[in-house]
């Protein structure tokens, strides 16, 4: 067989023992340079046992070309002889044509799958970059894409207590307050930083001192809360308010800006005419007037536009003071005693006052005291002493103190030293010791008293606490004291011996007197015991008699109560009997009345009946029967004669009746 181009010849040889297909390229032999990219011709020999299907397949493969099949997850990369490269996405089928194709390959697709937390970064061959956020799928095209990769999405999350510092590639910086979420985009963001929010909280007794980046300062009174903003704030501090007791105060300075018109109005009102002329024509002013113009009375007059004026005021307690942003407190720097690294105004015995040892802002307006030792005090006989004092004073006028001194304690120390040195300069050592009590008088310190009045204080009291001298002078003084003490002790011993003898005699007399008094007290005690015994017996008898009387009285009361109960019982019984009789009489009357009414209804003469009833009853009834005939005598009946004697009241016969 020959293809249409006539360049490839396929021969089929058949005999009884061999079946073969020989593949070769005749044109390749005739024109080696024309098809230089062709593979070397091969020869396939198949024996007689080869199936016919395989023979046909090999024949079709040689005639039609090698098949290339790509499914959905593959692609076919075709390189043409003219240098072009073609990519055929699956599913596709393509046979290799050696006249057109240099190579045909089936390659798997490079798929990049990104979940919700991932992204696919695509770098194109033209330099572009694209980022696709998941969920998505990207298939890499080698002719379009330089590189494709999957990476986790860089998410930055800030809660309510955090914030994000976002720096853009353009140079802008943003501050995002939480809660929020930002996804880092390298094409937009330079970097993202999550940091905790610096919260500054001021309680009711505190305030926030905020320093802005433009130089301004603000004071925020508590309770307040502020989050530090690095773009606006340079520094934020929590400061405690100044708590003032009832006897404390602070000095507050307030800065205000005075306008030019206000300055010239005040100058026109307060300055002299020549000074105002010097301000208007400074070249013609004399040096004295120029010096007067430069002065600032009260620290408030300035001849310049926009000058700053500072006002001073006092804040007294009890109060909680919080300064404004244009206010500050005066800080005092005075002499004091340093102990354990801390300055003390009162100090301690034998201390040394050090300059600038006390630095404070709150003044105590109350009586106070201070230990002070005046050293190197020279007497008239050139003895060197150290006098120990205790000063009691009270600050009465703070304004005067502020205008008159910068170190109140230092002025007091200097004035006290001057007074003590002046006092001791005219006295010898012995005289100074004898007159040391005068150092406890306020009048002995005139310089100190005058100076304290100048600075607005009052000297209340000075207490002399003793002195100390050099070792040699102290030793000599101790020896003299020891000698005087020994002599005084010897005289005291002799006096004590005499007093001892006198005391012994007095003791004997007192002992005898006490023995007599003791015996007398013993007898008096015995008599009192006997009297007490008799009194006890008498009281016991009285108690027994009282008890007996009480028992008899209780018995009598019980008997009377019993009799009273019996009498009440009898009275109750009699009352009940009378009540019963009354009821019986009432019943009898009712019965009798009923009988009378019945008799009346029967026609009985009640008057005659009642009269007959009211007649007196005979003492006796005598019945005489007349015989069988009854009461009416019949003719011929015998009438008996009866003689009856009626007994009289005395038992005799009163009368006789004959019938």
């Amino acid at each position: 067989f020959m293809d249409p181009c006539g360049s490839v010849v396929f021969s089929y040889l058949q005999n009884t023992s061999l079946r073969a297909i020989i593949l070769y390229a005749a044109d390749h032999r005739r024109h080696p340079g024309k098809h230089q990219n062709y593979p070397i011709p091969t020869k396939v020999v198949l024996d007689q046992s080869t199936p016919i299907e395989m023979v046909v397949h090999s024949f079709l493969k040689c005639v039609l070309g090698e098949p290339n099949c790509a499914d959905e997850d593959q692609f076919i990369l075709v390189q043409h002889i003219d240098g072009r490269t073609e990519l055929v996405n699956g599913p596709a089928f393509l046979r290799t044509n050696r006249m057109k194709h240099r190579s045909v390959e089936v390659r798997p697709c490079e798929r990049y799958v990104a979940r919700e937390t991932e992204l696919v970064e695509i770098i194109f061959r033209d330099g572009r970059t694209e980022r696709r956020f998941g969920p998505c799928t990207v298939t890499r095209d080698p002719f379009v894409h330089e590189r494709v990769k999957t990476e986790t999405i860089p998410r930055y999350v800030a809660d309510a207590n955090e914030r994000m510092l976002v720096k853009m590639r353009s140079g802008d910086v943003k501050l995002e307050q939480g809660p929020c979420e930002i996804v880092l985009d390298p094409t937009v963001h330079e970097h993202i930083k999550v940091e905790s929010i610096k919260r500054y909280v001021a309680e009711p007794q505190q305030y926030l001192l905020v320093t802005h980046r433009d130089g301004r300062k603000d004071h925020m009174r508590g309770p307040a809360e502020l989050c530090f903003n690095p773009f606006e704030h340079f520094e934020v501090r929590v400061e405690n308010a100044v708590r003032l007791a009832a006897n404390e105060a602070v000095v507050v300075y307030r800065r205000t800006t005075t306008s030019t018109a206000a300055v010239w109005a005040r100058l026109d009102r307060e300055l002299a005419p020549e000074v105002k002329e010097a301000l208007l024509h400074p070249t013609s002013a004399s040096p004295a007037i120029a010096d007067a113009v430069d002065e600032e009375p009260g620290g408030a007059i300035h001849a310049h536009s926009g000058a700053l004026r500072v006002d001073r005021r006092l804040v007294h307690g009890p109060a909680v003071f919080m300064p404004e942003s244009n206010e500050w407190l005066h800080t005092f720097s005075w002499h004091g005693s340093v102990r354990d690294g801390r300055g003390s105004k009162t100090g301690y015995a034998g201390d040394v006052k050090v300059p600038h040892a006390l630095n404070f802002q709150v003044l105590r307006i109350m009586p106070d005291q201070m230990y002070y030792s005046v050293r190197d005090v020279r007497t008239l006989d050139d003895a060197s002493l150290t006098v120990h004092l205790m000063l009691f004073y009270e600050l009465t006028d703070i304004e005067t103190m502020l205008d008159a001194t910068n170190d109140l304690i230092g002025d007091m120390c200097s004035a006290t030293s001057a007074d003590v040195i002046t006092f001791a300069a005219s006295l010898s050592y012995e005289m100074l010791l004898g007159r040391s009590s005068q150092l406890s008088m306020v009048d002995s310190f005139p310089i100190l008293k005058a100076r304290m009045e100048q600075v607005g204080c009052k000297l209340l009291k000075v207490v002399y606490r003793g002195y100390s001298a050099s070792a040699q002078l102290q030793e000599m003084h101790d020896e003299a004291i020891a000698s005087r003490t020994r002599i005084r002790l010897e005289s005291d011993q002799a006096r004590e011996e005499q007093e001892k003898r006198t005391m012994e005699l007095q003791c004997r007399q007192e002992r005898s007197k006490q023995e007599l008094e003791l015996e007398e007290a013993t007898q008096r005690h015995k008599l009192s015991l006997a009297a007490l015994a008799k009194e006890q017996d008498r009281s016991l008898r009285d108690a027994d008699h009282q008890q007996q009387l009480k028992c008899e009285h209780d018995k009598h009361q019980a008997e009377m109560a019993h009799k009273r109960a019996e009498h009440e019982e009898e009275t109750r019984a009699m009352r009940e009997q009378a009540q019963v009789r009354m009821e019986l009489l009432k019943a009898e009357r009712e019965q009798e009345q009923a009988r009378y009414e019945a008799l009346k209804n029967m026609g009985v003469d009640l008057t005659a009946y009642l009269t007959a009833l009211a007649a007196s009853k005979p003492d006796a009834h005598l019945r005489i029967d007349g015989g069988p005939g009854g009461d009416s005598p019949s003719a011929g009946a015998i009438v008996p004669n009866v003689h009856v004697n009626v007994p009289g009241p005395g038992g005799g016969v009163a009368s006789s009746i004959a019938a």
Side-chain angles (χ1 to χ4, degrees), residues 18-23 42-48 50 55:
L18 179 65
R19 184 180 296 175
I21 296 175
I22 301 174
L23 175 62
T42 59
K43 181 184 293 184
V44 179
V45 179
L46 301 177
D47 57 8
Q48 190 176 3
T50 303
V55 173

Side-chain angles (χ1 to χ4, degrees), residues 220-383:
M220 299 178 60
R221 295 176 178 269
E225 179 184 6
L226 179 66
C227 297
F228 183 79
N229 190 340
F231 303 111
E232 298 179 1
H233 306 143
F234 179 76
E235 184 184 15
V236 178
R237 297 200 310 268
V238 179
E239 300 289 344
N240 293 322
V242 181
R243 300 182 182 182
L244 300 178
N247 51 7
E248 295 178 340
V250 292
V251 181
V252 183
Y253 292 96
R254 185 182 184 88
R255 182 181 66 253
T256 58
T257 303
T258 306
S259 62
T260 305
V263 170
W264 282 107
R266 186 172 181 184
L267 291 175
D268 185 67
R269 183 173 62 255
E270 297 183 1
L271 296 182
E274 58 272 13
V275 178
K276 291 188 289 185
E277 183 67 21
L279 289 175
L280 296 175
H281 305 284
T283 56
S284 61
S286 62
I289 296 178
D291 295 338
V293 172
D294 292 337
E295 293 181 356
E296 299 178 359
I301 297 179
H302 300 270
H304 302 282
S305 175
L308 295 179
R309 182 186 179 203
V310 178
D311 296 331
R312 185 179 67 193
R313 62 189 176 96
L314 299 178
V315 178
H316 295 269
V320 178
F321 176 72
M322 297 183 185
E324 300 294 339
S325 59
N326 59 342
E327 293 180 342
W328 67 92
L329 301 180
H330 181 83
T331 302
F332 298 92
S333 181
W334 290 357
H335 277 67
S337 304
V338 179
R339 191 171 190 176
D340 298 333
R342 300 180 60 184
S344 173
K345 184 189 300 183
T346 303
Y348 53 92
D351 61 351
V352 178
K353 301 299 180 183
V354 180
H356 307 292
L358 288 176
N359 294 280
F360 60 95
Q361 294 178 339
V362 180
L363 284 172
R364 289 187 297 178
I365 311 174
M366 60 184 299
D368 206 344
Q369 65 276 349
M370 179 184 69
Y371 289 94
Y372 184 58
S373 299
V374 183
R375 290 173 171 77
D376 298 331
V377 179
R378 293 287 177 174
T379 61
L380 186 62
D381 53 357
D382 202 21

Side-chain angles (χ1 to χ4, degrees), residues 249-254 298 310-316 330 332 334 363 365 394-406 408 451-457:
V250 292
V251 181
V252 183
Y253 292 96
R254 185 182 184 88
V310 178
D311 296 331
R312 185 179 67 193
R313 62 189 176 96
L314 299 178
V315 178
H316 295 269
H330 181 83
F332 298 92
W334 290 357
L363 284 172
I365 311 174
E394 181 180 4
L395 179 60
T396 57
D397 192 348
I398 300 178
E399 293 286 352
T400 305
M401 185 269 295
L402 293 173
D403 296 335
T405 182
N406 290 327
L408 177 61
R451 181 55 184 165
M452 294 192 71
E453 290 178 355
Q454 292 176 1
V455 297
C457 295

Side-chain angles (χ1 to χ4, degrees), residues 595-612:
R595 188 175 69 247
Y596 289 159
E597 290 179 355
L599 291 175
K600 183 178 179 181
N601 295 331
M602 295 170 59
V604 178
D605 187 1
L606 294 179
T607 303
Y609 177 74
L610 293 176
T611 303

